[in-house]
Amino acid sequence: MVRYGKAFGPGYQARYLPHEIDGDIVEIERILKHAGIGMNLYRPAEAAPDEVRFKLYHFDHPVPLSDVLPVFEHLGFRVIDEAGPHEVDLSGAGRGKLIIHNFGLRSSSGAGIDLDAIRENFHQTFEQVWNGEVESDGFNALVACAGLAPREVMVLRAMCKYLLQARIPFSQTYMEQTLIANPGIAGDIVSMFAIIFNPVTCHEAKTKAPRIKRRILKTLEAVESADQDRIVRRYLNLLESMLRTNFYQTDTNGGTKAYFSF
């Protein structure tokens, strides 16, 4: 497009290939049309299995690295480098300067990253944290290690908050670490919650929920820490004590509610 002829500075042009620039223009056009921020979690050909890169597109000023480091760490990644930030002059589109950050990320655990499995959930979680819609805490690492969506992570976070109010003798950080260390159990707790309370599947709860519980308890046999065993069992006890929830209710516009109660 003509309006991008002089939009990119020499530093940006020296780093990126034409097909990468085309991809950035597509994302910028999307932002101009729909507002919000732009994102692209991707893996360059030369990257190791535990490495990805994340591009962030937004208006206003560059984001200090110290502000976004905790967000990435909570998502289960370490920042290993940053390219840019680069400014894009969009005065030709009637806008000011757009900033492109490009962060190099590595899995905190050293495990390989299944990009296709986590990309959409990673984008959703980062955007919701950016907009202040969800908390930035260690539970968000379950997006990458357990393949959970941000709404599913919300279930485990809310249960943790309740257990803290019920004076469980463990910190939120330790409960986060327990579920991250046992991602299969974390996923099964969410699945059991859905089977019981989702109006579409609740008719199957009597047969499927006990099966999931047995799988969780079987997995617990391999958990070496007695405290982690206690935490998982408290989660199970809380889940089995729930009578109802608003989690599957919609608001007047048909969207999900901004709060979760049970």
Side-chain angles (χ1 to χ4, degrees):
M1 294 184 181
V2 174
R3 68 187 180 197
Y4 291 102
K6 297 181 179 179
F8 299 101
Y12 173 91
Q13 295 182 51
R15 177 177 177 85
Y16 296 106
L17 297 171
H19 75 274
E20 294 177 294
I21 298 174
D22 289 342
D24 287 341
I25 289 175
V26 169
E27 188 65 11
I28 292 169
E29 285 292 307
R30 190 192 66 78
I31 298 169
L32 290 173
K33 183 177 181 180
H34 300 290
I37 61 173
M39 295 165 288
N40 182 22
L41 185 70
Y42 68 102
R43 176 182 284 119
E46 69 279 6
D50 65 340
E51 293 181 0
V52 289
R53 298 201 70 86
F54 178 66
K55 282 187 178 181
L56 171 64
Y57 311 73
H58 66 97
F59 285 98
D60 299 324
H61 305 289
V63 179
L65 187 57
S66 59
D67 286 357
V68 292
L69 271 175
V71 179
F72 291 126
E73 289 172 352
H74 287 152
L75 280 160
F77 293 90
R78 290 185 292 116
V79 178
I80 54 179
D81 69 76
E82 180 185 4
H86 299 286
E87 292 186 353
V88 183
D89 184 0
L90 294 178
S91 56
R95 300 293 298 267
K97 292 187 182 296
L98 179 134
I99 310 298
I100 301 179
H101 295 269
N102 189 341
F103 302 99
L105 306 178
R106 178 174 291 147
S107 167
S108 298
S109 65
I113 301 165
D114 187 342
L115 181 63
D116 292 338
I118 74 165
R119 186 173 185 271
E120 183 60 30
N121 288 335
F122 185 100
H123 283 188
Q124 288 182 16
T125 304
F126 188 93
E127 184 170 23
Q128 289 175 14
V129 170
W130 178 278
N131 293 331
E133 296 169 354
V134 302
E135 294 180 47
S136 180
D137 59 23
F139 281 108
N140 289 336
L142 293 166
V143 169
C145 74
L148 299 182
R151 283 270 300 167
E152 294 173 323
V153 173
M154 183 193 296
V155 173
L156 299 173
R157 179 183 292 114
M159 293 176 72
C160 167
K161 302 291 188 182
Y162 180 91
L163 290 172
L164 289 172
Q165 291 182 27
R167 300 193 178 183
I168 189 172
F170 304 105
S171 67
Q172 173 171 329
T173 299
Y174 193 44
M175 286 189 272
E176 293 168 353
Q177 293 170 349
T178 295
L179 295 178
I180 291 167
N182 300 279
I185 289 177
D188 276 342
I189 292 172
V190 171
S191 295
M192 189 171 166
F193 175 89
I195 286 292
I196 295 171
F197 293 109
N198 189 332
V200 177
T201 60
C202 62
H203 65 282
E204 303 174 309
K206 287 186 178 180
T207 57
K208 290 190 175 182
R211 250 182 288 168
I212 298 173
K213 179 181 178 180
R214 286 195 296 271
R215 186 165 66 232
I216 293 172
L217 294 176
K218 180 68 176 177
T219 307
L220 269 181
E221 294 176 4
V223 174
E224 296 181 359
S225 167
D227 285 342
Q228 290 191 359
D229 183 281
R230 293 187 188 99
I231 287 170
V232 172
R233 291 179 188 276
R234 291 291 293 274
Y235 261 87
L236 273 176
N237 176 258
L238 172 57
L239 179 53
E240 292 181 317
S241 299
M242 289 185 194
L243 300 177
R244 55 189 174 272
T245 176
N246 76 329
F247 189 78
Y248 294 98
Q249 293 177 353
T250 56
D251 59 23
T252 54
N253 297 318
T256 56
K257 292 188 174 181
Y259 60 92
F260 169 38
S261 59
F262 57 83

